[in-house]
Amino acid sequence: MLLLLVTAAGVSAESAGRWIGSVLLAAYAPFTTLAYTTQFTLLPGLLAVEADAAALWYFHDARSIPYALDLTGYAVLGLAAIVLAATLWGRGGLLRWAALWMVAMGVLSLAALVFHSVGVAAAASVATALSALCTLPFVGLAIVHGRRLRASGP
């Protein structure tokens, strides 16, 4: 959705900010994919064999490996959002507002990882929830721009 918004805004594919943001977005995927797929692949087998080892892989425990991987992935997504927001800043209007929300989401995602790293799980959870709420405005704008792109043809 972030790339859709940047594309709809007319940011050149050769833009350094777009390239860096795209690479960061690509780096986000393995973290979250690993965090979630372990719940269906690794965890059931571990539960049957070694309950203590399985506890390390239970996603809903803030001390687990998948939880840390997920927050790391969202921090990388946050960096991508900040970099891509910079490409929208000078375009004004609604795109500047979308950029502000993207930066807020990115900063909160990074804060969640920092809070988690220093052992403040409650603050990490709050930062994560607020980060998710910050996506709503630019998600709406991305949907509007996506419909415009689709209506204008290939």
Side-chain angles (χ1 to χ4, degrees):
M1 224 173 310
L2 293 173
L3 285 178
L4 168 65
L5 190 54
V6 168
T7 300
V11 176
S12 169
E14 289 81 30
S15 160
R18 184 166 168 174
W19 270 98
I20 293 167
S22 297
V23 168
L24 288 167
L25 283 175
Y28 150 77
F31 285 106
T32 55
T33 300
L34 185 59
Y36 290 108
T37 58
T38 59
Q39 301 308 287
F40 301 103
T41 57
L42 181 63
L43 185 61
L46 282 174
L47 280 171
V49 178
E50 181 64 43
D52 289 337
L56 290 173
W57 289 95
Y58 181 59
F59 183 81
H60 296 288
D61 182 349
R63 297 166 299 175
S64 72
I65 294 168
Y67 191 87
L69 286 172
D70 195 48
L71 283 180
T72 303
Y74 282 113
V76 172
L77 173 63
L79 287 173
I82 292 167
V83 169
L84 292 171
T87 68
L88 299 177
W89 184 254
R91 300 189 185 262
L94 287 176
L95 291 173
R96 180 170 290 192
W97 283 104
L100 284 171
W101 284 105
M102 289 166 67
V103 168
M105 184 273 287
V107 168
L108 286 164
S109 293
L110 290 167
L113 179 61
V114 170
F115 289 140
H116 175 72
S117 298
V118 297
V120 188
S125 294
V126 170
T128 299
L130 290 174
S131 173
L133 287 175
C134 286
T135 65
L136 296 177
F138 67 83
V139 166
L141 189 57
I143 290 168
V144 168
H145 277 295
R147 287 182 180 216
R148 285 183 188 158
L149 282 175
R150 186 174 55 187
S152 68

